């Protein structure tokens, strides 16, 4: 379904920016915690934070993606390869919003590790099933790289529309001209 409105609705705009910030923050946090930080007490606490925020993204992000699927996208302002690429990138980003937290959770659950949510409740460890654990972690790591590439393309595209084309793309997601 495709809409022809002049801007995304208010709910879509809030959804977009809240989940965008969370996803960018989580990609940075994930790389910092798991690729940079040495083992230690800080690492344990930050892994807990990574999982808690990840669960929050699973809830907010699923609702955000469902809302987009229900409402449809606005029709592209132009046509051509750049718009086709932009649409493809939007689908990859939407997929990642769900795949990232789900694969993280599946990896922990079937890796036999519990997942807490800001100390409020804990999803207990599941049965240890090695192949699901490694598949989920493989997907988690690979999709993280795909998301970084997609976000870079997405932001470059947004900048081009704002600074070079100077068209209404920015206004469609900020609500102002
Ligand atoms: C600072 C970073 C970002 C900027 C400046 C930005 C800007 C925009 C703009 C201007 C649009 C409207 C495009 C149109 O009207 O066709 C848009 C749409 C979209 N953006 Fe972003 N965005 C950013 C980060 C992100 C991130 C991190 C994600 C995903 C995790 C994301 C996912 C999407 C998606 C899926 C759409 C399509 C409409 C929707 O479902 O919201 N964006 N973005
Ligand atoms: C917004 C959602 C999420 C994003 C963007 C994200 C991002 C990342 C990134 C960038 C890494 C480092 C890549 C690597 O080590 O290969 C990572 C690793 C990891 N993440 Fe996440 N993550 C998310 C959600 C979750 C959730 C919900 C959990 C668990 C409940 C989780 C558990 C892990 C674990 C255990 C690792 C260690 C690396 C591994 O063994 O694969 N993540 N995450």
């Amino acid at each position: 379904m495709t809409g022809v409105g002049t801007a995304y609705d208010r709910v879509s705009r809030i959804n977009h920016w809240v989940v965008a910030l969370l996803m960018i923050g989580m990609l940075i946090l994930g790389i910092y915690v798991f690729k940079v930080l040495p083992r230690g007490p800080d690492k344990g606490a930050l892994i807990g934070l990574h999982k808690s925020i990840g669960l929050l993204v699973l809830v907010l992000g699923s609702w955000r993606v469902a809302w987009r699927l229900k409402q449809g996208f606005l029709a592209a302002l132009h046509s051509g390869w750049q718009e086709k690429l932009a649409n493809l990138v939007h689908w990859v980003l939407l997929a990642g919003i769900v795949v990232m937290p789900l694969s993280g959770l599946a990896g922990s659950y079937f890796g036999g590790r519990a997942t807490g949510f800001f100390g409020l409740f804990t999803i207990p460890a599941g049965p240890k099933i090695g192949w699901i654990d490694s598949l989920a972690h493989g997907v988690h790591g690979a999709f993280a790289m795909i998301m970084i590439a997609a976000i870079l393309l997405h932001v470059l595209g947004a900048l081009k529309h704002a600074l070079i084309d100077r068209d209404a793309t920015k206004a469609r997601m900020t609500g102002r001209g």
Side-chain angles (χ1 to χ4, degrees):
M1 190 178 96
T2 331
V4 284
T6 50
Y8 278 101
D9 62 283
R10 201 177 159 77
V11 173
S12 291
R13 299 196 314 259
I14 295 172
N15 279 347
H16 172 269
W17 293 113
V18 170
V19 175
L21 284 183
L22 285 170
M23 288 297 291
I24 293 173
M26 281 293 282
L27 287 165
I28 296 171
L29 182 65
I31 289 172
Y32 175 68
V33 176
F34 294 106
K35 300 269 188 227
V36 180
L37 205 63
R39 272 175 188 279
D42 284 355
K43 185 163 175 146
L46 286 176
I47 291 177
L49 184 66
H50 183 82
K51 292 182 170 192
S52 293
I53 303 176
L55 280 190
L56 183 67
V57 173
L58 183 58
V59 176
L60 293 181
S62 304
W63 140 255
R64 179 238 192 282
V65 171
W67 182 264
R68 172 63 45 245
L69 296 179
K70 190 166 149 276
Q71 303 279 319
F73 293 90
L74 289 185
L77 286 175
H78 315 278
S79 56
W81 69 269
Q82 292 178 29
E83 274 55 43
K84 289 206 180 84
L85 181 63
N87 286 340
L88 175 71
V89 167
H90 289 164
W91 281 108
V92 171
L93 292 172
L94 287 181
I97 289 170
V98 180
V99 168
M100 284 309 298
L102 261 191
S103 57
L105 181 60
S108 283
Y109 187 79
F110 292 108
R113 289 180 302 273
T115 298
F117 183 74
F118 299 109
L120 295 175
F121 63 86
T122 303
I123 299 176
K128 214 169 180 346
I129 305 181
W131 70 268
I132 306 186
D133 179 15
S134 19
L135 178 68
H137 280 134
V139 169
H140 200 65
F143 223 103
M145 299 307 127
I146 294 174
M147 283 302 274
I148 291 171
I151 292 171
L152 285 177
L153 278 174
H154 183 66
V155 174
L156 279 179
L159 284 175
K160 176 188 174 282
H161 281 284
L163 303 176
I164 298 174
D165 301 337
R166 293 172 180 273
D167 61 22
T169 307
K170 185 181 74 177
R172 301 209 298 182
M173 200 45 99
T174 58
R176 359 201 138 113

